[in-house]
Amino acid sequence: GVALDAATRGLKTALLEAEDFSSGTSSKSTKLIHGGVRYLELAVKRLDWEQYQLVREALHERENLMLIGPHLSTSLPILLPSTCIHARC
């Protein structure tokens, strides 16, 4: 995604792999761009400011990517099932 975006903007681009294709995949190279729902849950349940800041940063970066590279990403609606019927679970 990043290499494609750079190349379409006229920048010289190189892609280097340490071993074979996708050998070093991690959460940093995932194709999913999320808003940090799990971290938001921790922030609210534990009143954890650092977790909240992580969610804000993730949402800000996602917004930037959608603005500068809309051809690289599309929104995907997700439905999260819950067994909780009360406001506080």
Side-chain angles (χ1 to χ4, degrees):
V2 174
L4 174 63
D5 186 49
T8 58
R9 294 171 189 261
L11 300 172
K12 292 182 180 178
T13 308
L15 177 64
L16 304 174
E17 288 286 335
E19 294 175 23
D20 59 4
F21 183 74
S22 76
S23 64
T25 59
S26 69
S27 63
K28 298 287 185 193
S29 62
T30 184
K31 298 289 183 190
L32 262 175
I33 302 166
H34 62 87
V37 175
R38 181 175 41 143
Y39 302 117
L40 181 59
E41 178 186 21
L42 289 174
V44 171
K45 285 185 176 179
R46 298 179 186 169
L47 298 175
D48 188 334
W49 182 253
E50 289 180 17
Q51 294 294 325
Y52 173 73
Q53 289 297 102
L54 283 174
V55 174
R56 276 189 62 168
E57 182 181 356
L59 288 172
H60 181 71
E61 290 302 319
R62 183 175 70 174
E63 180 183 25
N64 284 339
L65 183 59
M66 296 295 278
L67 288 173
I68 64 173
H71 58 285
L72 298 175
S73 179
T74 59
S75 295
L76 176 67
I78 296 176
L79 176 64
L80 299 174
S82 174
T83 58
C84 178
I85 59 173
H86 303 290
R88 294 179 153 236
C89 296

